[in-house]
Amino acid sequence: MEISGTAPILIPAFGNSTQFESILDTIDGLLLTGGLANVEPHHYGGPDFPDDEAIDPERDKTVLPLIRGCIERGIPVFGICRGIQEINVAMGGTLHYRVHVLPGKNDHRMRRDTDIMTERYELRHSITLTPNGFLHGLLGQTETMVNSLHGQSVDKVADGFVVEALSPDGVIEAIHMPDAKRLTVGVQWHAEWHPQKHDLAKKLFGEFGDAAHDHAANKQI
């Protein structure tokens, strides 16, 4: 609210019962938050989850069509953590189930050795922004520090999207749809954690707000 100048509303995860057209007629931007559960692999042709994996099928059924509807209508989309994964899956991309078991990858999961939120969300590693990419243009430099609280990550990037940032071990940390009518971007770190104190996060929320205001000013009533 402070940075984007927008009025947030929550969209319930009603799954197939969701009135998608009514929601798309109402909103001027879609912010996709993180979450405990992961996108189920049948949405992208991945191997089945273990039986004890946390899932949220109603969120999957709600969010994936909304993402496609927003992009079709030119409604800006900003995905955070699970949100970048949802964007990628909704548009035809795939995910790695567990980053830390892949050869040469680090453990990007949330710290389990502390319950102190400031420690869990502290800056953990650098990311390198794609030279002359969207994020590079926003920040004006090609490297910054981010937090890390995820088990999955983007594997095959959806058609129409480009990689905007990588971690030192090669994990995709941001994607962007350059030909989208309005801002369509996802980041793997938790940009909502004190964005006033993180230059790139602050700029992303500002861009999202600008795009939402532009949609509001130009949509057909």
Side-chain angles (χ1 to χ4, degrees), residues 10-28:
L10 298 178
I11 301 174
F14 287 146
N16 293 333
S17 298
T18 302
Q19 299 296 312
F20 293 104
E21 292 302 310
S22 294
I23 292 173
L24 293 168
D25 286 343
T26 302
I27 64 174
D28 294 303

Side-chain angles (χ1 to χ4, degrees), residues 21 24 65-75 77 91 177 180-182 184:
E21 292 302 310
L24 293 168
L66 281 177
I67 293 169
R68 292 188 284 266
C70 284
I71 292 174
E72 181 178 345
R73 289 181 178 223
I75 298 171
V77 181
M91 301 308 292
M177 192 177 192
K181 184 175 181 180
R182 290 187 180 86
T184 302

Side-chain angles (χ1 to χ4, degrees), residues 121-142:
Y121 282 83
E122 68 184 0
L123 301 178
R124 287 263 299 276
H125 63 75
S126 64
I127 58 172
T128 300
L129 309 184
T130 301
N132 302 314
F134 174 68
L135 295 189
H136 179 203
L138 280 184
L139 189 61
Q141 59 192 56
T142 56

Side-chain angles (χ1 to χ4, degrees), residues 28-106:
D28 294 303
L30 181 66
L31 177 67
L32 303 164
T33 67
L36 174 63
N38 290 313
V39 179
E40 289 196 71
H42 67 81
H43 291 291
Y44 55 89
D48 292 341
F49 280 158
D51 292 339
D52 61 351
E53 181 71 33
I55 59 173
D56 191 348
E58 296 308 299
R59 172 164 170 164
D60 292 349
K61 294 175 186 176
T62 304
V63 167
L64 300 181
L66 281 177
I67 293 169
R68 292 188 284 266
C70 284
I71 292 174
E72 181 178 345
R73 289 181 178 223
I75 298 171
V77 181
F78 180 17
I80 293 172
C81 199
R82 175 184 163 121
I84 184 179
Q85 298 167 17
E86 291 171 328
I87 292 171
N88 196 53
V89 169
M91 301 308 292
T94 65
L95 304 176
H96 289 300
Y97 170 56
R98 285 288 181 260
V99 175
H100 67 281
V101 303
L102 298 174
K105 303 303 182 190
N106 298 324

